Amino acid sequence: ASLASTNARQQQQAGLAKRLLFPNTPPGSDLPPLFLSPTCPPELHAEVYDFIALSLRAYVNTWWTKITRYDKEFLPQLTNVLVHVIRVLEQRILSADLSTLVFCDVPALVTEHFIDYRHAASKVSTSYATGGAHTIPQLFHLFQPHLAISPEGNIDEEYFRHALDLLIVRDIIPRVTQPWFIQQTVLDLLGPPPEKDVPSQPPHASSSSSHGHFSQLSNLIVLLLSTIQSLSGACLALIHVYKQAISTIKLVNESTATKHPRAANATSNASRPEVPPSKGQKCTIPMSRTSSSSSVPSTNTPERLPEAPHDFIRGPLVMFCEIFRMHWRFSSAVAFNFLFMLCTCFRTFINSFLSYMLYSQVLSFSSMLSLVRLSKRTLFPNGYPGPPPVDPTPEEQAMIRRLLIRRVSEMLPVPVSTILLGSSPVASLEAVIDPLSDNTCNIHLVVFLFDAVLLTVFPEL
């Protein structure tokens, strides 16, 4: 029954896309491929076409049918434009250096956000804030000025109009920058808390001594067999981990000999956006970003990985150090320096490993397929747009914050919590969440990340 329902749903989706987007195709024929990559699975083509059909039916067909009910060529023409745009973006993304974006640019921007927010918070009610006249968002804007953001946190629509529609400015950015949205997203990623084991009731004592001896003997046998089973399971797990590690190392080493294709008009280092140097960095490891180097255009297949000339582990480690303020405690600073030196010894392999995991796991076709299906279920739960979500009340937002702090503190083991959070985990987690607790400051982070992504895909801008 499940297989039959799945097939019926796929046929209904294909019928909707064919009826709205390709009304002139012969019956029984397949839809034309959407992506140019030869290894793209057919399911991804079908899901994206269905997503386009649902979007056009919900946001275009509703007003177009009021103008004319007989013109069936408008939606197919829009589909032709969307297909052209999607294919151009596909080639742009495949030719972009996403490893540098993910492991260098994004961690540097997040680290700078935490540093500037804490500097702004430390200057409130001082002469730097004109005796308390300036708030944290206004001081933060002085550290990170941007021509698209006013000191009050208002977004300039003209800045984004040349790249995207006003949907991002009016709907997406104002929502994803809300502190409760970020905290709720982290809670959803962590999943539900594990259920606590209920202690079993002790068995009633038997009046017979022989029965007591037999019960003790049986318990010893069960304990011995359970120990043997646990040891065998641990050995099998170690063998599986060893084989998986050997296979992964072999794939990573093979990927280092290939290059990710770059665009023929790839720009040089001067055209890449430079991340501003961090101010007042207290980590013992300097916050320096390696400049990217333009590579020679290659004719290799898009599935091959790029070279890893950068130190990809530096940015995430420094970001992790700044978020948890590891330089404020001696034990955490020693642990961070030891981890950094250990990663430096295996820098070449770690760079290749991170690039391999990015392109084989995060940016794989299976991940894209899951993302498209999740977006379709979220935006179109019944085939049409669902009701707009309701923002939580201030009391509910405070509850989300407390729940996130408690959830993270319960997840961390005691040794790890002592190193990362010190003697007061709750206060340390409060300091971790505070730099993301202001909507106006979060807008700066999102806009800078938007610039980094846009200039990575379109370096000529």
Side-chain angles (χ1 to χ4, degrees):
S2 176
L3 182 61
S5 62
T6 302
N7 293 334
R9 184 168 60 253
Q10 291 178 354
Q11 293 176 0
Q12 182 180 4
Q13 293 173 358
L16 176 64
K18 183 178 293 185
R19 185 174 66 255
L20 291 181
L21 309 182
F22 303 96
N24 298 326
T25 55
S29 60
D30 297 333
L31 297 177
L34 176 60
F35 300 99
L36 299 178
S37 178
T39 58
C40 181
E43 293 82 2
L44 186 57
H45 296 280
E47 291 292 340
V48 176
Y49 271 132
D50 185 49
F51 186 85
I52 294 175
L54 292 173
S55 302
L56 294 181
R57 183 178 67 176
Y59 300 107
V60 176
N61 207 38
T62 52
W63 57 266
W64 180 250
T65 53
K66 296 179 181 179
I67 299 176
T68 172
R69 301 177 57 184
Y70 304 101
D71 186 6
K72 304 298 182 181
E73 297 297 328
F74 185 59
L75 296 185
Q77 291 298 327
L78 289 180
T79 303
N80 293 334
V81 175
L82 291 176
V83 168
H84 175 73
V85 172
I86 290 174
R87 289 178 177 177
V88 171
L89 287 177
E90 177 191 6
Q91 295 300 314
R92 288 277 189 166
I93 292 174
L94 290 176
S95 62
D97 188 4
L98 299 181
S99 298
T100 304
L101 171 67
V102 174
F103 299 115
C104 295
D105 296 343
V106 172
L109 292 175
V110 175
T111 303
E112 193 66 28
H113 176 84
F114 275 75
I115 293 175
D116 290 341
Y117 182 90
R118 286 164 178 167
H119 283 176
S122 65
K123 290 178 172 55
V124 177
S125 301
T126 64
S127 58
Y128 292 98
T130 62
H134 291 319
T135 60
I136 292 182
Q138 293 174 341
L139 292 174
F140 184 84
H141 181 77
L142 297 177
F143 286 110
Q144 291 191 6
H146 196 286
L147 58 91
I149 308 173
S150 66
E152 294 78 19
N154 298 323
I155 301 175
D156 185 10
E157 298 177 355
E158 289 293 337
Y159 182 82
F160 296 91
R161 186 165 293 149
H162 297 287
L164 297 172
D165 193 21
L166 293 180
L167 174 67
I168 289 184
V169 179
R170 293 179 179 175
D171 296 335
I172 296 180
I173 292 182
R175 187 171 188 84
V176 300
T177 55
Q178 294 293 334
W180 64 265
F181 184 88
I182 300 175
Q183 298 164 11
Q184 185 65 49
T185 302
V186 176
L187 277 175
D188 294 339
L189 293 176
L190 293 177
E195 298 181 358
K196 298 183 178 180
D197 298 333
V198 181
S200 59
Q201 297 294 334
H204 296 285
S206 176
S207 59
S208 175
S209 60
S210 61
H211 180 72
H213 291 300
F214 178 76
S215 177
Q216 292 178 0
L217 180 61
S218 62
N219 290 336
L220 290 176
I221 295 175
V222 170
L223 179 61
L224 178 62
L225 294 177
S226 301
T227 304
I228 295 175
Q229 184 181 6
S230 300
L231 290 176
S232 61
C235 293
L236 291 175
L238 288 176
I239 293 173
H240 177 73
V241 170
Y242 174 76
K243 291 182 178 180
Q244 189 68 26
I246 293 298
S247 176
T248 303
I249 291 173
K250 185 183 297 184
L251 291 175
V252 170
N253 291 332
E254 291 176 355
S255 67
T256 56
T258 60
K259 292 182 179 181
H260 190 66
R262 303 301 301 265
N265 57 348
T267 56
S268 59
N269 296 341
S271 63
R272 286 191 56 83
E274 291 295 334
V275 180
S278 57
K279 299 178 286 295
Q281 177 71 8
K282 297 182 181 180
C283 291
T284 56
I285 305 302
M287 181 59 192
S288 63
R289 175 183 175 276
T290 56
S291 59
S292 61
S293 59
S294 59
S295 58
V296 180
S298 174
T299 58
N300 295 331
T301 57
E303 289 74 20
R304 297 185 178 178
L305 302 180
E307 288 185 335
H310 309 288
D311 191 0
F312 289 157
I313 196 61
R314 175 188 293 269
L317 283 179
V318 174
M319 178 185 68
F320 189 79
C321 172
E322 179 60 35
I323 289 177
F324 287 93
R325 299 195 299 185
M326 299 181 67
H327 52 274
W328 286 37
R329 295 177 295 273
F330 176 77
S331 59
S332 59
V334 171
F336 172 79
N337 288 327
F338 175 76
L339 180 61
F340 188 87
M341 289 187 295
L342 184 64
C343 293
T344 303
C345 297
F346 301 95
R347 171 185 173 181
T348 303
F349 174 76
I350 291 178
N351 287 345
S352 302
F353 176 76
L354 292 177
S355 295
Y356 172 78
M357 295 301 295
L358 176 65
Y359 284 95
S360 64
Q361 301 295 328
V362 180
L363 301 179
S364 61
F365 287 121
S366 59
S367 301
M368 297 298 104
L369 182 60
S370 302
L371 179 61
V372 173
R373 288 175 176 173
L374 177 62
S375 302
K376 190 172 61 175
R377 289 195 303 266
T378 304
L379 298 177
F380 308 100
N382 298 317
Y384 290 90
V390 180
D391 294 344
T393 61
E395 292 79 11
E396 294 174 345
Q397 297 179 20
M399 179 62 67
I400 292 174
R401 180 187 176 95
R402 290 194 298 268
L403 182 61
L404 175 61
I405 294 176
R406 185 178 63 184
R407 182 79 174 90
V408 174
S409 61
E410 292 175 353
M411 286 183 58
L412 295 176
V414 176
V416 178
S417 177
T418 304
I419 295 177
L420 289 182
L421 306 178
S423 59
S424 56
V426 175
S428 299
L429 290 175
E430 289 279 353
V432 170
I433 296 178
D434 283 340
L436 298 176
S437 299
D438 190 274
N439 179 31
T440 305
C441 299
N442 294 339
I443 289 177
H444 287 74
L445 177 60
V446 172
V447 172
F448 276 108
L449 292 175
F450 172 81
D451 288 345
V453 174
L454 186 65
L455 295 178
T456 300
V457 181
F458 299 94
E460 67 274 9
L461 294 181

